Amino acid sequence: MDRSAESLSRAIGMRVNQERKGRGWTLDQLAELAGVSRRMLVNVEQGGVNPSIGTLLRLSDALGVGLPALVEPPALRAVKVVRAGEGAVLWTGPSGGRGILVAGTESPDVVELWDWTLAPGERHESEAHSDGTRELLQVLEGSLTVLIESEGHELNTGDALTFRSDVPHSYVNPFALPTRFTLAVFEPGVGAGHRAENTNA
């Protein structure tokens, strides 16, 4: 891990630990709710691993805080400016592509804004998000293929796509030039299921 990735991993680990302890949950309880192994959770909390976006989404949903809350400190201000280069790099491709979370809102209805680049031949596979999640994306440079379950959609510069992302989906660049796209993710009711379970316990 480079220094910025190491710093981000430590910040995520501290936030997960803080949120878990604030709820009085053991490592085993959070691991079970999130569907991750206890070992992975320990590594995340210790900042010793750069967790996948899928793992972060499972943890954020289990904690009911939304992904943006795990990668940045709590903000007391009504306005937050993220300067160029300050977004959280949560995915790095083998040829230099990056998935950067540049902004997000708090739960329960979480909106995330991403800046993605995929080098030629790169692909990012995403597991199904929670029920009701929607994504909107627009290609800013190059071309992109979005696979939603088994259906492919080829997009060129300026094209946009809206889809339900509560099914498996992938972003693929099978072309000879890099592609860049902006992505907004709307995830309603983050953590609501777990809150309901805890209320009824």
Side-chain angles (χ1 to χ4, degrees):
M1 279 192 286
D2 64 28
R3 186 164 295 175
S4 61
E6 207 172 295
S7 173
L8 178 60
S9 294
R10 276 198 308 271
I12 290 170
M14 288 172 57
R15 188 68 198 273
V16 170
N17 181 272
Q18 175 188 30
E19 293 288 343
R20 176 179 64 79
K21 288 183 173 175
R23 287 158 178 74
W25 292 352
T26 65
L27 285 163
D28 289 327
Q29 286 172 311
L30 177 54
E32 184 178 345
L33 278 172
V36 301
S37 70
R38 185 181 195 278
R39 175 181 220 143
M40 171 58 76
L41 180 55
V42 168
N43 286 335
V44 168
E45 288 198 0
Q46 291 176 347
V49 66
N50 188 2
S52 70
I53 294 171
T55 297
L56 290 175
L57 284 169
R58 287 192 291 274
L59 288 170
S60 67
D61 186 50
L63 291 166
V65 297
L67 181 58
L70 288 188
V71 301
E72 59 187 34
L76 300 176
R77 297 164 293 171
V79 176
K80 181 175 184 214
V81 176
V82 179
R83 300 291 180 196
E86 292 181 349
V89 179
L90 297 181
W91 179 84
T92 304
S95 300
R98 300 193 316 164
I100 304 170
L101 180 61
V102 294
T105 62
E106 298 172 0
S107 61
D109 295 325
V110 175
V111 179
E112 303 164 8
L113 182 62
W114 293 78
D115 182 5
W116 280 88
T117 54
L118 293 178
E122 284 188 329
R123 157 187 204 115
H124 173 69
E125 295 189 12
S126 180
E127 57 192 56
H129 300 315
S130 59
D131 286 346
T133 301
R134 302 284 190 278
E135 295 190 14
L136 300 89
L137 69 82
Q138 184 178 31
V139 179
L140 303 177
E141 299 171 17
S143 299
L144 174 71
T145 299
V146 180
L147 300 172
I148 303 165
E149 293 185 291
S150 59
E151 187 178 354
H153 303 272
E154 189 172 322
L155 305 171
N156 297 309
T157 302
D159 292 346
L161 178 70
T162 304
F163 65 99
R164 289 182 64 123
S165 55
D166 50 9
V167 295
H169 53 284
S170 303
Y171 316 102
V172 186
N173 180 7
F175 307 102
L177 296 173
T179 187
R180 182 173 176 221
F181 60 98
T182 187
L183 173 70
V185 181
F186 170 65
E187 191 177 8
V190 170
H194 299 302
R195 284 194 295 275
E197 288 168 16
N198 294 337
T199 304
N200 296 331

